[in-house]
């Protein structure tokens, strides 16, 4: 009997991905024998370094997004995240039920000016071309890397004698934070000179509304059925709980946390800024003035239609994506996507995670699948070896209400049994 992907050992999964062409032999060797980061890399990434931590990297294989096969790497410590996303993509025909509706990659920065003259806004409007030229001079390679300063606009400030400049940049394949801040800090003094005011701050905003991606799912209701509920019933219940997240912030924040389980895990695996990704998503969820779910679901005839809309400020070059060997390997495993493709993949992962979570909530409940995967974590906590984790987890699942004390007891019994059989052999 052929094993399923999740039943394979890490080495067997690596070998299969090599056979399928998603990994080279050298890349598989990297994942199987990762070395600690050298001190030069550690001290280049952070301060007061005393060591480093490691996280598991799981993959969701066999996904097709916008017609391109992808193996998706996810860095997370939570056992149920990878399994849930895998289940979500299965309900979505491995991603074939997804359509990319909108995708943009840009960011905006703010220059805040105080104590400006009464004619400051008019003076700035007359100097926008000069300010844009100063911005390009601060980053002369921007255009050659596929980026540009899209616009500079004048807006109201936070007081009667203040105003702000909003600078919007498309940063090419980079996330763009450093590019943006370089441009802002060059333009700010010139803007202050024009207005006769003083610069209060010049920095990017992490609200992310210029990097919004929208992905839509349309899957047959039959894909949702369980032994106890029809696909239509499940679909209607998913639509109802998603609508609840549009009206109740308590539900919405948990709804969105489930989405970000997947988005942040992909961002972390690829060396992107998870804090920026999370900040942008939650700000966007509240952009209407009420915090809402980032996805919606509704039943249309025999189809469940879901839409996710969120900013995903990521990059495929620069920063930790270039410095961390694991980030480079993760991007290679993904097939070296462009930044827009990476955003689409991340949004698709978020929608798959969301679908799986809602499906679990309206059918068996969240704990059944979640706890089944937590039993392996409990086995590790009490000292089980790699060979002991699966049998011990199975016994813990059968126990119904496992505890650490019970896990230790069952592990001792398992080892005593193994020792007895060893002596007999």
């Amino acid at each position: 009997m052929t094993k399923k992907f999740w039943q394979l050992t890490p080495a067997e999964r690596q070998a299969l991905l090599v056979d399928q062409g998603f990994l080279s032999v050298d890349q598989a060797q990297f994942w199987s024998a990762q070395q600690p980061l050298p001190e030069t890399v550690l001290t280049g990434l952070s301060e007061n370094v005393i060591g480093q931590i490691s996280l598991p990297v799981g993959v969701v294989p066999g996904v097709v997004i916008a017609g391109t096969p992808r193996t998706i790497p996810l860095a997370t410590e939570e056992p149920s995240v990878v399994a849930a996303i895998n289940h979500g993509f299965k309900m979505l025909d491995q991603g074939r039920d997804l359509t990319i509706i909108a995708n943009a990659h840009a960011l905006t920065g703010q220059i805040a000016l105080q104590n400006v003259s009464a004619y400051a806004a008019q003076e700035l409007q007359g100097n926008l071309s000069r300010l844009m030229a100063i911005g390009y001079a601060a980053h002369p390679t921007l255009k050659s890397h596929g980026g540009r300063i899209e616009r500079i606009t004048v807006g109201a400030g936070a007081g009667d004698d203040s105003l702000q400049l909003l600078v919007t940049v498309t940063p090419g394949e980079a996330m763009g934070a450093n590019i943006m801040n370089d441009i802002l800090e060059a333009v700010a003094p010139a803007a202050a000179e024009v207005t006769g005011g003083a610069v209060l701050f010049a920095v990017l905003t992490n609200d992310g509304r210029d990097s919004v991606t929208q992905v839509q799912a349309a899957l047959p209701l039959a894909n949702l059925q369980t032994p106890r509920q029809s696909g239509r019933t499940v679909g209607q219940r998913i639509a109802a709980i998603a609508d609840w997240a549009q009206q109740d912030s308590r539900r919405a924040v948990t709804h969105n946390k489930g989405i970000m389980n997947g988005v942040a895990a992909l961002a972390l695996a690829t060396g992107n800024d998870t804090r920026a990704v999370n900040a942008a998503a939650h700000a966007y969820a509240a952009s209407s003035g009420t915090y809402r779910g980032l996805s919606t679901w509704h039943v249309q005839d025999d189809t469940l239609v879901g839409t996710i809309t969120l900013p995903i400020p990521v990059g495929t070059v620069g920063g930790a994506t270039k410095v961390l060997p694991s980030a480079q390997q993760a991007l290679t495993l993904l097939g070296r996507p462009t930044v827009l493709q990476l955003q689409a993949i991340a949004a698709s992962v978020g929608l798959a995670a969301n679908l799986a979570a809602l499906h679990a909530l309206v059918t068996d409940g969240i704990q059944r699948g979640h706890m089944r995967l937590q039993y392996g974590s409990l086995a590790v906590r009490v000292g089980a070896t790699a060979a002991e984790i699966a049998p011990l987890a199975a016994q813990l699942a059968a126990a119904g209400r496992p505890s650490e004390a019970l896990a230790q007891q069952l592990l001792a019994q398992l080892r005593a049994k193994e020792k007895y059989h060893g002596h007999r052999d």
Side-chain angles (χ1 to χ4, degrees):
M1 180 179 178
T2 304
K3 291 182 180 179
K4 295 182 179 179
F5 191 81
W6 64 269
Q7 295 171 317
L8 302 176
T9 66
E12 289 170 336
R13 294 186 192 111
Q14 292 158 9
L16 180 59
L17 291 172
V18 169
D19 289 343
Q20 293 174 338
F22 289 104
L23 285 178
S24 69
V25 173
D26 288 344
Q27 290 160 0
Q29 178 63 23
F30 171 85
W31 291 112
S32 65
Q34 287 186 71
Q35 300 298 315
L37 292 173
E39 185 176 329
T40 52
V41 173
L42 294 174
T43 55
L45 288 172
S46 189
E47 304 81 36
N48 297 347
V49 171
I50 63 167
Q52 57 188 292
I53 64 172
S54 297
L55 286 173
V57 176
V59 299
V60 179
V63 175
V64 178
I65 296 175
T68 301
R70 305 285 185 185
T71 294
I72 300 173
L74 302 165
T76 179
E77 85 296 346
E78 187 174 340
S80 59
V81 169
V82 177
I85 293 167
N86 190 64
H87 182 221
F89 274 118
K90 284 184 177 178
M91 289 187 282
L92 293 165
D93 192 20
Q94 294 304 114
R96 296 178 185 86
D97 289 334
L98 296 172
T99 303
I100 313 304
I101 303 298
N103 211 356
H105 182 65
L107 73 165
T108 293
Q110 298 172 282
I111 299 172
L113 299 168
Q114 291 182 311
N115 305 318
V116 298
S117 69
Y119 302 100
Q122 183 178 344
E123 293 292 336
L124 283 172
Q125 291 287 358
N127 281 272
L128 291 182
S129 296
R130 183 170 75 88
L131 295 177
M132 189 171 288
I134 292 171
Y136 275 121
H139 235 288
T141 62
L142 178 61
K143 286 185 177 179
S144 65
H145 286 96
R148 57 179 291 175
I149 300 173
E150 294 292 334
R151 59 189 175 273
I152 301 177
T153 56
V154 182
D160 292 338
D161 63 346
S162 68
L163 52 76
Q164 64 176 317
L165 285 178
L166 298 176
V167 182
T168 301
V169 171
T170 49
E173 293 296 301
M175 181 270 189
N178 290 330
I179 294 171
M180 172 58 75
N181 288 333
D182 284 345
I183 291 171
L184 294 173
E185 291 185 0
V187 171
E193 181 182 355
V194 168
T195 62
V199 178
L200 178 63
F201 65 85
V203 70
L204 85 161
T205 171
N206 287 112
D207 79 347
R209 68 186 69 182
D210 300 298
S211 281
V212 172
T213 300
Q214 186 175 77
V215 173
Q216 188 171 88
L219 61 149
L221 292 176
N223 291 13
L224 305 170
Q225 67 184 11
T226 71
R228 290 183 290 182
Q229 295 187 47
S230 69
R232 181 168 295 278
T233 297
V234 175
Q236 290 170 341
R237 286 168 62 80
I238 286 175
I241 195 172
D243 184 60
W244 200 296
Q246 294 300 310
Q247 302 179 52
D248 177 12
S249 63
R250 290 178 185 268
R251 175 60 213 148
V253 70
T254 309
H255 181 101
N256 292 341
K257 189 268 184 183
I259 289 171
M260 299 311 292
N261 278 346
V263 176
L266 177 60
L268 184 58
T270 54
N272 276 286
D273 186 343
T274 57
R275 287 86 52 204
V277 169
N278 275 291
H282 292 296
Y284 192 80
S287 60
S288 68
T290 300
Y291 187 91
R292 303 179 187 277
L294 291 164
S295 70
T296 61
W297 295 89
H298 69 275
V299 173
Q300 182 176 314
D301 299 326
D302 294 325
T303 302
L304 179 67
V305 179
T307 305
I308 187 169
T309 309
L310 77 168
I312 305 178
V314 294
T316 58
V317 299
T321 63
K322 186 174 183 179
V323 174
L324 291 173
S326 60
Q328 285 291 302
Q329 293 288 343
L331 288 167
T332 298
L333 180 60
L334 266 175
R336 286 284 159 185
T338 66
V339 69
L340 286 175
Q341 288 171 337
L342 182 58
Q343 289 179 195
I345 293 167
S348 300
V349 166
L351 194 58
N354 181 232
L355 175 60
L358 299 186
H359 187 273
L361 280 171
V362 302
T363 54
D364 295 328
I366 204 71
Q367 282 297 85
R368 182 178 177 184
H370 184 72
M371 287 309 300
R372 184 170 61 246
L373 291 161
Q374 290 287 355
Y375 298 141
S377 178
L378 178 54
V380 172
R381 289 208 306 272
V382 298
T385 65
E388 293 168 336
I389 292 172
L392 180 55
Q395 290 185 39
L396 289 169
R401 288 187 173 273
S403 65
E404 196 160 309
L406 177 61
Q408 290 170 338
Q409 178 186 339
L410 292 174
L411 179 58
Q413 293 173 0
L414 183 64
R415 287 175 174 174
K417 185 177 180 180
E418 290 172 349
K419 185 175 181 181
Y420 171 74
H421 285 296
H423 283 317
R424 290 192 63 184
D425 293 342

